[in-house]
């Protein structure tokens, strides 16, 4: 026997038992974002490596150590997208969607990061992301947060908390950067290797270090809000006013800096304590400089992305039910004539009842075996077509999940009858 080939570590098959939950989640989230006027954009999974280096930032975990980068046959450096914002901005610039225009866009699909796999952290994972371009004020920041809060309400999700922060303007951040470099340099002996390496290239990220030995030093670092510019502070105040007015509960976390370099001003995360270390189910913020950095005009922008695996796991831990995947009915066709007629009848039923999930027997199996199969399929009803029923244009309806007595119905009345029993529209 040949050696079996396994899927790649951290990249998972989503099996039929789980796809209904995925589909239901995707549909619910799609309905929310389209309800706010966001329009779908479909983006390539592979992009030029430079796109991510320039947008996410050279000195970030993602670009330094997590990207799936390879040379294609032309010798070009390509990368499997680790996130969607960069590609969305690239596409917007490339197709002139952003120049002097307001755009609300959304996308979904797999993202790839070579992280150490663990619960809630995968090498292929899925996001639904939204990006809004051309709106400089705090109104759009508020809309994004309100929309994400609505997602949790629609899904029946509880116990996620919102953290927000402001990183200030690019200029204020540059000044804060200098202050941090000074501070880290003065305590160089207490920095770990990562921090030493980032001291000049990305001093803000040092604030995000999880190393317990660094926490005291981080706690005493000069706080960001003091370094912020007036306009950014006013922007943040207005955002908080809208959230307060809309009854959204949040905490301001001055240490929330995010792992991607493109952010300016508002950043936010929705966090749960129920998933262990990987607690962020949704994250985003404003990124006013990105479009320009990628060769477009000065287009203000903001967005967020939801991690679908984490959200699904959280929904499951809270016992939120996903819809059934089993068929409503299983068509049992016993006898030669019945097998032939069965498919024709099934087509009539599907014509009359587009929402019906009907699985039909199409092989010459024995009656008993088929009934077993019908039961295992999870169907509520077995529709039985034997030679006798064929002769009389009848169908026997057997209830597989209740004690109700079997019924015999004329084939022409069957659609009407099924619509009633199965409450189909
Ligand atoms: P991010 O924080 O890197 O932001 O990812 C967003 C969400 O994707 C996370 O909160 C998490 O739920 C999920 N996620 C990230 N990495 C993994 C992983 N390895 N396994 C499972 N889930 C993961 C972004 O990607 C930005 N593009 C968000 C954004 C959009 N900002 C502005 N617009």
């Amino acid at each position: 026997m040949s050696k079996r080939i396994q899927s790649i570590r951290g990249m998972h098959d989503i099996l039929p038992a789980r796809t209904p939950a995925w589909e239901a989640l995707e549909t619910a989230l799609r309905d929310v974002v389209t309800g706010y006027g966001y329009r779908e954009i479909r983006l390539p999974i592979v992009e030029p490596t430079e796109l991510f280096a320039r947008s996410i930032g050279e000195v970030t975990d993602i670009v330094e150590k997590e990207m799936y980068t390879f040379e294609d046959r032309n010798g070009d450096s390509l990368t499997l997208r680790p996130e969607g914002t960069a590609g969305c901005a690239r596409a917007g610039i490339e197709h002139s969607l952003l120049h002097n225009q307001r755009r609300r866009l959304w996308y979904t699909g797999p993202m790839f990061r070579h992280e150490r796999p663990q619960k809630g952290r995968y090498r292929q994972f899925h996001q639904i992301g939204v990006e809004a371009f051309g709106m400089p004020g705090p109104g759009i920041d508020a809309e994004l947060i309100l929309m994400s809060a609505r997602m949790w309400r629609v899904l029946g999700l509880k116990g996620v908390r919102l953290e927000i922060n402001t990183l200030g303007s690019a200029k204020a951040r540059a000044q804060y950067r200098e202050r941090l470099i000074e501070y880290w340099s003065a305590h160089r002996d207490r920095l770990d290797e990562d921090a030493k390496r980032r001291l000049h290239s990305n001093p803000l990220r040092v604030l995000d270090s999880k190393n317990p030995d660094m926490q005291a030093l981080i706690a005493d670092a000069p706080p960001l809000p003091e370094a912020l510019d007036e306009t950014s502070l006013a922007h943040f105040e207005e955002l908080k006013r809208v959230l307060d007015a809309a009854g959204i509960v949040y905490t301001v976390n001055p240490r929330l800096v995010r792992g991607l370099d493109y952010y300016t001003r508002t950043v936010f995360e929705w966090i749960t304590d129920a998933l262990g270390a990987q607690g962020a189910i949704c994250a985003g913020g404003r990124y006013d400089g990105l479009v320009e950095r990628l060769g477009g005009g000065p287009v203000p922008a903001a967005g967020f992305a939801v991690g679908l695996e984490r959200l699904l796991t959280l929904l499951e831990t809270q016992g939120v039910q996903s819809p059934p995947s089993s068929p409503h009915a299983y068509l049992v066709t016993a006898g030669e004539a019945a097998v032939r007629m069965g498919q024709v009848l099934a087509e009539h039923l599907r014509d009359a009842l587009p929402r019906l999930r009907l699985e039909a027997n199409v092989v010459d199996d024995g009656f008993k075996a088929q009934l077993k199969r019908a039961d295992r399929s999870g169907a509520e009803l077995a529709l039985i077509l034997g030679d006798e029923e064929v002769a009389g244009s009848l169908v026997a309806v057997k209830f597989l999940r209740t004690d109700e007595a079997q019924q015999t119905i004329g084939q022409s009345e069957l659609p009407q009858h099924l619509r009633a029993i199965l409450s189909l529209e």
Side-chain angles (χ1 to χ4, degrees):
M1 236 205 298
S2 307
K3 186 170 172 280
R4 275 202 272 168
I5 299 171
Q6 304 262 337
S7 66
I8 296 166
R9 202 162 104 84
M11 302 198 183
H12 298 287
D13 301 306
I14 302 170
L15 300 177
R18 301 256 297 152
T19 46
W22 275 86
E23 233 178 86
L25 177 64
E26 286 159 356
T27 306
L29 297 184
R30 184 180 310 131
D31 287 350
V32 172
V33 297
T34 53
Y36 282 76
Y38 287 73
R39 297 176 62 189
E40 188 183 9
I41 183 163
R42 298 193 183 195
L43 303 160
I45 284 171
V46 183
E47 296 273 5
T49 303
E50 193 193 344
L51 173 67
F52 302 114
R54 243 205 268 173
S55 50
I56 298 170
E58 295 276 5
V59 194
T60 55
D61 281 349
I62 296 179
V63 171
E64 277 186 338
K65 36 189 183 190
E66 294 171 2
M67 295 206 302
Y68 281 91
T69 296
F70 59 96
E71 260 190 22
D72 76 355
R73 286 168 195 277
N74 303 328
D76 296 328
S77 179
L78 307 182
T79 292
L80 297 186
R81 62 181 184 194
E83 58 104 53
T85 309
C88 193
R90 186 225 14 95
I93 299 165
E94 188 168 331
H95 302 286
S96 311
L97 303 180
L98 310 182
H99 185 64
N100 285 338
Q101 295 178 71
R102 290 181 191 156
R103 290 274 175 194
R104 287 178 166 89
L105 303 172
W106 73 273
Y107 51 84
T108 186
M111 309 290 161
F112 303 84
R113 296 184 195 175
H114 196 275
E115 297 191 79
R116 201 168 51 75
Q118 61 182 83
K119 186 177 170 214
R121 189 159 75 190
Y122 311 103
R123 289 180 174 173
Q124 174 172 334
F125 60 98
H126 298 77
Q127 289 183 341
I128 281 190
V130 298
E131 313 292 351
F133 296 95
M135 289 164 265
I140 193 67
D141 309 20
E143 175 176 291
L144 291 167
I145 291 175
L146 293 173
M147 184 160 72
S148 49
R150 180 173 300 281
M151 288 177 171
W152 320 145
R153 280 204 302 282
V154 165
L155 294 169
L157 189 73
K158 297 192 182 62
V160 280
R161 60 173 198 278
L162 172 65
E163 292 191 355
I164 61 174
N165 191 24
T166 177
L167 303 177
S169 65
K171 194 166 157 225
R173 266 227 291 184
Q175 285 163 359
Y176 180 57
R177 215 175 153 272
E178 292 310 312
R179 285 182 60 184
L180 271 182
I181 292 176
E182 253 172 55
Y183 175 76
W184 300 135
S185 304
H187 300 91
R188 210 168 194 290
D189 50 326
R190 293 168 64 193
L191 298 178
D192 63 11
E193 283 313 307
D194 251 2
K196 275 187 193 142
R197 207 165 37 79
R198 287 180 168 169
L199 197 161
H200 289 281
S201 54
N202 201 345
L204 256 82
R205 281 294 283 161
V206 179
L207 288 173
D208 216 26
S209 164
K210 302 283 178 289
N211 183 350
D213 299 338
M214 298 265 303
Q215 296 312 308
L217 186 64
I218 290 170
D220 289 340
L224 177 59
E226 278 176 21
L228 288 185
D229 52 300
E230 285 300 316
T231 329
S232 292
L233 285 173
H235 183 108
F236 197 48
E237 284 310 310
E238 178 55 21
L239 168 63
K240 289 196 283 185
R241 267 196 290 274
V242 182
L243 296 181
D244 289 337
I248 301 285
V249 179
Y250 57 85
T251 51
V252 176
N253 173 3
R255 294 273 176 251
L256 183 66
V257 290
R258 307 271 301 119
L260 305 96
D261 279 356
Y262 48 61
Y263 292 109
T264 49
R265 295 199 171 150
T266 312
V267 288
F268 65 93
E269 280 187 2
W270 286 94
I271 301 165
T272 168
D273 296 321
L275 296 180
Q278 309 305 321
I281 57 161
C282 168
R286 181 166 273 287
Y287 51 94
D288 291 335
L290 179 63
V291 173
E292 210 164 9
R293 220 187 309 160
L294 294 177
V299 177
F304 69 79
V306 179
L308 296 182
E309 279 83 357
R310 290 186 195 174
L311 187 51
L312 260 184
T313 311
L314 188 58
L315 285 166
E316 278 164 7
T317 59
Q318 296 187 0
V320 177
Q321 295 287 324
S322 55
S325 58
S326 42
H328 293 109
Y330 191 101
L331 182 61
V332 172
T333 43
E336 214 176 288
V339 173
R340 203 174 318 117
M341 285 303 297
Q343 278 191 296
V344 178
L345 175 66
E347 286 307 292
H348 285 316
L349 288 175
R350 291 182 180 117
D351 286 342
L353 303 169
R355 302 193 71 85
L356 175 71
R357 293 192 303 276
L358 174 66
E359 194 171 327
N361 172 63
V362 289
V363 292
D364 194 10
D365 269 351
F367 182 69
K368 270 207 174 137
Q370 285 189 50
L371 268 186
K372 239 192 213 161
R373 216 165 284 206
D375 191 42
R376 258 188 282 138
S377 76
E380 286 171 52
L381 305 174
L383 306 178
I384 303 168
L385 198 58
D387 285 337
E388 253 173 58
E389 281 84 4
V390 171
S393 292
L394 301 167
V395 176
V397 178
K398 184 176 166 60
F399 292 81
L400 297 171
R401 314 288 152 204
T402 64
D403 297 336
E404 208 159 322
Q406 184 165 317
Q407 304 166 346
T408 302
I409 311 282
Q411 286 184 14
S412 54
E413 283 93 65
L414 191 59
Q416 192 79 325
H417 194 67
L418 290 180
R419 184 178 291 129
I421 334 182
L422 296 167
S423 314
L424 296 171
E425 291 130 41

